[in-house]
Amino acid sequence: MAITHTDQKYITALLNNDSLLLHELYNKYAGKITQMVLKNNGNVTDAADIFQEALLAIYQKAKNNNFQLTCPIEAYLYLICKNRWINELNKRGNRKVTFIEDGGYSFGEDVFNAATTTQNHQDRQKLLLDMFAQLGVGCKELLELSWSGIAMDEVANKLNNSYAYVRKKKSECVAKLIALVKSSPKFATLQW
């Protein structure tokens, strides 16, 4: 289990609209994001938009998924902003995208890897939840009960079925979920 980073305070600040910590967050990191965007065919307005979009994305993840930050917020913010800016440049289509890294960042490869790992984990979790929602009611109920920590014999009792049937059905539901995940176009883009 990954350990929550001390910068989780910024995630909490976003959720609680803590103006003091949010001001600190802007003061520490908005300038670096602006420099990155300016070095890569953007302007100050673009940078402000990208920074806001990144904070909103983090807020949505935290609000909907009980998000726990396991790396410095600086690396995570940079990764989100960089990806969003590259996507924006690609959408504009009239510029060749050659991304120039910002030398102003002082985090090492380990921190960048942690940020990437955190993002990949969140993306995999979202895909899994999206595919889980496509399962039938029976499969969803069975899997939710079995994953909640309840013993399988209790799950069988709650569902008024035999233990053997519930185990077999669970195996079929998990196989169906895996097939849905693997058939998604998003599956190929994620690191597993």
Side-chain angles (χ1 to χ4, degrees):
M1 176 106 180
I3 298 172
T4 302
H5 195 276
T6 56
D7 282 352
Q8 180 71 27
K9 66 183 179 183
Y10 295 118
I11 306 301
T12 304
L14 282 168
L15 290 171
N16 296 330
N17 198 21
D18 180 335
S19 60
L20 186 63
L21 275 178
L22 291 176
H23 185 71
E24 180 180 311
L25 181 69
Y26 272 88
N27 284 341
K28 280 185 167 182
Y29 307 116
K32 291 182 179 184
I33 299 303
T34 300
Q35 290 302 311
M36 181 265 299
V37 171
L38 290 174
K39 287 182 178 183
N40 292 283
N41 298 319
N43 58 44
V44 174
T45 303
D46 294 329
D49 290 346
I50 291 294
F51 193 77
Q52 280 298 115
E53 288 174 18
L55 291 179
L56 183 60
I58 293 170
Y59 170 80
Q60 290 297 333
K61 281 185 181 195
K63 181 180 171 193
N64 298 328
N65 299 322
N66 196 21
F67 177 68
Q68 296 295 309
L69 189 66
T70 57
C71 65
I73 189 84
E74 179 178 20
Y76 193 62
L77 256 174
Y78 181 81
L79 182 68
I80 292 172
C81 290
K82 177 182 174 183
N83 288 339
R84 286 181 178 267
W85 185 238
I86 289 172
N87 288 341
E88 180 60 31
L89 288 175
N90 284 329
K91 278 186 210 170
R92 292 179 182 181
N94 59 353
R95 294 187 175 109
K96 184 178 175 191
V97 178
T98 304
F99 203 82
I100 301 167
E101 291 295 334
D102 184 357
Y105 280 87
S106 59
F107 41 81
E109 191 66 30
D110 290 344
V111 173
F112 228 11
N113 288 339
T116 303
T117 299
T118 299
Q119 182 66 46
N120 284 335
H121 174 73
Q122 293 296 313
D123 292 343
R124 288 190 310 264
Q125 185 176 22
K126 181 177 180 347
L127 176 60
L128 185 61
L129 289 173
D130 289 348
M131 296 302 106
F132 181 81
Q134 293 183 23
L135 291 174
V137 175
C139 273
K140 285 195 273 194
E141 182 180 18
L142 172 60
L143 292 177
E144 285 173 345
L145 283 171
S146 67
W147 292 339
S148 70
I150 298 173
M152 284 304 288
D153 55 342
E154 289 181 49
V155 172
N157 286 337
K158 285 185 182 240
L159 296 175
N160 295 319
N161 283 303
S162 71
Y163 176 80
Y165 174 81
V166 169
R167 285 202 49 158
K168 181 177 185 255
K169 189 66 177 171
K170 178 184 175 188
S171 178
E172 291 171 359
C173 291
V174 168
K176 185 172 184 178
L177 179 59
I178 290 169
L180 284 170
V181 167
K182 286 184 175 180
S183 69
S184 169
K186 294 178 184 177
F187 178 78
T189 64
L190 298 175
Q191 294 179 2
W192 297 85

